[in-house]
Amino acid sequence: MSQRKQDGMLFKVSILSIAVMQATAQAVGGILNTMAASMPDVSAQAIQSLSTMPNAGCLAGLLLSPLACKVLGEKRTTVIGIVLSIIAGCAPMVLSDFTPILVSRIVLGFAFGLYTPLIVVLLSRFYKGDQLAGMIGIENAVGSVGSAICSLVSGLLVVLGSQAGFSIYLLSVVPLVLFTLFVNLDDEKGSSEDQAQDAEVAPKAKAHVPGAVWGIGFGLFAFFVFQLPMAYALGTRIFESGVAGTSQESASTIASTIYSFFTI
């Protein structure tokens, strides 16, 4: 790929677009109180797991992503992950039983785990140095903004029904089209061979993870442990406080709006 093409705005938008949905597995947390009201036979803890269980699927996707790339290539793996996230993400719109909905949420996490780690890998293939650092910074910002927008839209759509908020995952169609049409990875084999040759030439250094990195990782883990249940609890507390009147949908909208600003 020519340097001119990868520096073009359309190419950058296309490759960064796949980061929009990377942090949206918990974007529906604010509307779960409305879903709980529509499923009185399901416990509150089970409903809350719809926001947290995608993380288990994501872990499985992360573990299988390198194998999938070796077999299918980076572009096919990314496209399959995005398509799978659209299907699994929107599945609760047409499912009525809790168990299939829970399975679809786990599959959604698996899809995210399959392709989201490849964003940085792809960026590092086309950009170097300060330009790479800048693109990774933009990628993180895009993910945060995407999560905030999806949380807000999900809360607004809940007035159409307790499961209408899951339609936010249809937004993945946009990065799917952009990435498929404008990011060319036909030279994946040659690029992989070049990287392998570079690895052979480069001197081997012993890997070492600084203590600060472990500390930051533990801090982020603790942060998300407290953050993930917050969206569901927020909608419930708003409804119980009477701020939203007697409407679960209004409570979900308010909770999702607050949560969307928090994710930024």
Side-chain angles (χ1 to χ4, degrees):
M1 178 177 291
S2 66
Q3 184 69 25
R4 182 178 180 182
K5 184 175 181 180
Q6 69 191 49
D7 286 340
M9 182 59 67
L10 181 59
F11 180 83
K12 290 182 177 180
V13 170
S14 299
I15 200 169
L16 287 171
S17 66
I18 60 177
V20 172
M21 305 298 289
Q22 66 178 337
T24 57
Q26 290 78 37
V28 297
I31 68 172
L32 294 183
N33 63 299
T34 301
M35 180 171 284
S38 66
M39 295 182 173
D41 297 332
V42 181
S43 68
Q45 291 77 15
I47 293 292
Q48 187 174 345
S49 69
L50 295 177
S51 179
T52 57
M53 285 305 292
N55 295 308
C58 185
L59 179 59
L62 287 169
L63 294 174
L64 291 177
S65 183
L67 177 62
C69 288
K70 288 182 180 180
V71 176
L72 302 172
E74 293 168 352
K75 182 166 185 176
R76 291 189 186 92
T77 300
T78 301
V79 170
I80 290 173
I82 297 175
V83 171
L84 191 59
S85 71
I86 295 172
I87 297 173
C90 295
M93 295 176 61
V94 297
L95 298 174
S96 56
D97 294 333
F98 174 77
T99 300
I101 292 176
L102 179 62
V103 171
S104 72
R105 296 292 293 168
I106 296 174
V107 174
L108 174 67
F110 175 81
F112 284 152
L114 197 63
Y115 81 87
T116 54
L118 299 179
I119 300 173
V120 174
V121 174
L122 295 174
L123 289 175
S124 64
R125 284 186 56 184
F126 298 112
Y127 305 100
K128 304 296 179 183
D130 292 340
Q131 191 176 23
L132 173 61
M135 291 293 286
I136 291 177
I138 295 174
E139 176 257 333
N140 290 328
V142 168
S144 297
V145 172
S147 178
I149 292 175
C150 286
S151 296
L152 180 61
V153 173
S154 177
L156 295 175
L157 290 174
V158 77
V159 297
L160 301 177
S162 62
Q163 291 163 285
F166 290 93
S167 61
I168 58 172
Y169 296 105
L170 288 172
L171 293 174
S172 291
V173 171
V174 176
L176 175 63
V177 172
L178 290 174
F179 184 79
T180 302
L181 294 180
F182 302 111
V183 178
N184 183 14
L185 299 179
D186 290 340
D187 58 342
E188 280 185 321
K189 184 176 181 182
S191 178
S192 299
E193 291 175 351
D194 292 341
Q195 292 177 359
Q197 292 176 359
D198 292 340
E200 291 177 358
V201 174
K204 293 182 178 180
K206 186 177 180 180
H208 173 69
V209 180
V213 174
W214 287 106
I216 293 173
F218 178 78
L220 288 173
F221 173 79
F223 171 77
F224 284 110
V225 165
F226 289 103
Q227 182 201 19
L228 295 181
M230 186 192 72
Y232 174 77
L234 188 60
T236 303
R237 295 296 178 268
I238 290 175
F239 178 75
E240 292 175 349
S241 70
V243 174
T246 59
S247 172
Q248 286 279 7
E249 289 79 8
S250 297
S252 293
T253 301
I254 295 172
S256 296
T257 302
I258 296 173
Y259 187 71
S260 68
F261 284 103
F262 181 78
T263 56
I264 295 179

